[in-house]
């Protein structure tokens, strides 16, 4: 039986043509791109699932915001619109605009980590990990063990392992831990949600040791929708009410607005403490731009103010999560393993299980991404050992907890027929899984290497 699918709560006004190259052309393009998905030209991609970040379709209301965006250098009208919209959603006294999520990390994390050795998170997203390391600290993940088994059902697989957090802080010394971070939803674990109860418990532990508690809020709206459906105490709350519950114990947050705020560029920092905000403002001015534009153009700020509200609309979220559930149900029918239950922004196919003959150091999730492009012009990416990279101390390839090929679904962009193409491609690949080969790296930079590394198939 097909699951209930929640149809699009919008109609299409403007379209972009797509082209599917021949299989031979796709084989050629892969070779030219050194088997790195980030090196493919977008025009050669039929369905682009590389990321849901900044790839959403803006609404008519957002586009009209673009027209009225105020480009004044200081104190632009759009800045006030954004402060009002974000202030209402997050209820943090101090908000700083920046141009994207990693800019928020670049501004905030060195302040929190100054003189500190560690950041602990349910899981650090790759740019968050990079900025922790650039600030001279180490990033430690502390997700619940249920997250590591992709076939176990758990309502909140993104949660922090609170007991372990507590013992980790004691072991490392509370004075050495600069920040406790909660990523909602937990992107690296598969877009898995975190409960309000877990957020509050984590905040309590951090505060017991006088450590700032930060939320990485990139997908806080999708997270709130999961809470509404799965956490009993919040079942009758509205999405804004749930968001208030999520943020009320946080000392600060960073947000990539390119996800749940449905804009192509933008980011936010929020803080509760005035002294921290002063430091944030100073760093923003030197790194991003004056405080009322923070590296953004006025038109983008206006679109963000509108998108923040559209992104927390419950009808939109039901359709959005419904897309993931539809694709996941088709994979269930075909016996294709993925991080289950499916998360908020993507289906994370378990390449370790689908391609068990490829070891982590030959990047099974990258191999599957290459096959998806070859099969149907679909661009996905590796969230596994290829993404994780090398140990910063020893330079040795690390083994990731997961080998996921992430099928990130852009917001309001692809239809149900596209989802069927994706499912059918995976089914075809599953049939020839045993013949698929792993990859080796022939060239790589020291940090965030997955964006530019060159690969070759292992013979
Ligand atoms: C995307 C993302 C970031 C970084 O944001 P950018 O806008 O890509 O710089 C940080 N944390 C999480 C959880 C993300 O998904």
């Amino acid at each position: 039986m097909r699951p209930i699918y929640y149809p699009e709560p919008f109609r299409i006004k403007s379209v972009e043509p797509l082209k599917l190259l021949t299989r031979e052309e796709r084989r050629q393009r892969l070779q030219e791109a050194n088997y790195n998905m980030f090196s493919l030209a977008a025009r050669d991609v039929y369905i682009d699932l590389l990321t849901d970040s900044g790839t959403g379709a803006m609404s008519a209301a957002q586009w009209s915001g673009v027209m009225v965006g105020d480009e004044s250098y200081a104190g632009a009208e759009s800045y006030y619109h954004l402060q009002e919209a974000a202030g209402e959603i997050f209820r943090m006294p101090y908000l700083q605009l920046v141009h994207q999520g990693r800019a928020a990390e670049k501004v905030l994390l060195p302040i929190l980590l100054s003189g500190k050795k560690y950041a602990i998170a349910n899981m650090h997203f790759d740019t968050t990990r990079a900025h922790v390391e650039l600030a001279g600290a180490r990033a430690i993940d502390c997700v619940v063990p249920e997250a590591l088994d992709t076939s176990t059902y758990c309502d909140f697989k993104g949660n922090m392992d609170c007991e372990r957090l507590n013992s980790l802080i004691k072991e490392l010394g509370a004075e050495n831990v600069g920040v406790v971070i909660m990523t909602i939803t937990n992107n690296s674990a598969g877009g898995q949600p975190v409960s309000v109860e877990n957020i509050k418990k984590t905040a309590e532990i951090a505060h017991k040791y006088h450590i700032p508690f930060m939320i990485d809020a990139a997908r806080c709206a999708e997270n709130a929708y999961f809470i509404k459906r799965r956490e009993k105490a919040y079942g009758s709350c509205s999405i804004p009410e749930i968001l208030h519950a999520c943020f009320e114990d946080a000392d600060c947050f960073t947000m990539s607005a390119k996800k749940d705020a449905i804009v192509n560029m933008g980011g936010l920092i929020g803080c509760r403490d005035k002294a921290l905000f002063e430091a944030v403002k100073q760093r923003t001015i030197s790194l991003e731009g004056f405080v009322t534009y923070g590296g953004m153009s006025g038109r983008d700020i206006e679109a963000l103010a509108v998108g923040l509200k559209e992104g927390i609309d419950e009808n939109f979220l039901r359709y959005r999560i419904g897309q993931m559930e539809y694709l996941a149900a088709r994979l269930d029918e075909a016996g294709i393993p993925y991080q289950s239950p499916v998360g908020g922004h993507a289906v994370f196919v378990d390449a370790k299980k689908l391609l068990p003959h490829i070891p982590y150091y030959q990047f099974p999730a990258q191999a599957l991404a290459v096959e998806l492009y070859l099969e149907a012009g679909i661009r996905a990416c590796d969230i596994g050992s290829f993404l994780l990279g090398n140990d910063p101390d020893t330079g040795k390839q690390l083994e990731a907890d997961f080998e996921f090929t992430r099928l990130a679904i852009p917001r309001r962009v692809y239809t149900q027929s596209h989802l069927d193409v994706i499912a059918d491609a995976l089914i075809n690949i599953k049939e020839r899984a045993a013949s698929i080969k792993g990859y080796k790296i022939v060239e790589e930079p020291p940090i965030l290497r997955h964006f530019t590394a060159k690969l070759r198939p292992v013979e």
Side-chain angles (χ1 to χ4, degrees), residues 58 60 91 166 197 211 243 246 285 318 359 381 399:
M58 291 214 294
R91 303 222 171 143
N166 196 54
E197 189 189 5
I211 301 168
L243 286 168
C246 291
I285 292 171
R318 186 181 301 119
C381 75
E399 180 175 4

Side-chain angles (χ1 to χ4, degrees), residues 138-216:
R138 286 281 171 270
I140 301 174
D141 289 342
C142 187
V143 72
V144 288
E146 290 88 335
L148 304 183
D149 180 356
T150 57
S151 56
T152 316
Y153 183 90
C154 173
D155 279 338
F156 293 102
K157 263 188 171 174
N159 276 358
M160 181 81 80
D161 182 341
C162 287
E163 236 171 78
R164 184 161 165 248
L165 172 67
N166 196 54
S167 53
L168 257 177
I169 295 174
K170 279 201 264 184
E171 195 182 303
L172 302 170
E175 69 283 4
N176 295 319
V177 182
V179 60
V180 171
I181 302 171
M182 188 68 103
T183 310
I184 62 174
T185 55
N186 187 331
N187 186 352
S188 311
Q192 293 294 319
V194 176
S195 68
V196 174
E197 189 189 5
N198 190 255
I199 294 173
K200 289 189 170 293
K201 188 86 209 295
T202 301
E204 194 187 309
I205 294 169
H207 290 154
K208 181 172 79 177
Y209 295 103
H210 307 289
I211 301 168
F213 174 58
M214 174 186 130
I215 292 180
D216 178 344

Side-chain angles (χ1 to χ4, degrees), residues 53 100-102 105 125 127-128 183 187 216 218-219 256 258-259:
S53 180
Q100 65 182 100
R102 72 198 67 185
E105 293 162 354
F125 180 64
T127 62
T128 321
T183 310
N187 186 352
D216 178 344
R219 298 182 185 81
S256 167
K258 300 168 70 171
K259 284 71 174 244

Side-chain angles (χ1 to χ4, degrees), residues 26-43:
R26 298 199 293 273
R27 193 184 301 280
Q28 187 69 32
R29 297 296 191 279
L30 277 169
Q31 218 170 44
E32 290 160 6
N34 292 295
Y35 304 93
N36 188 322
M37 298 299 140
F38 292 92
S39 302
L40 286 170
R43 65 172 171 270

Side-chain angles (χ1 to χ4, degrees), residues 149-151 336-339 348-355 368 402-405:
D149 180 356
T150 57
S151 56
I336 292 167
Y338 62 90
Q339 175 64 300
F348 288 66
V349 180
D350 188 340
K352 205 191 280 191
K353 284 200 180 130
L354 193 65
L355 306 172
L368 180 57
F402 312 105
E403 301 295 343
F404 287 141
T405 303

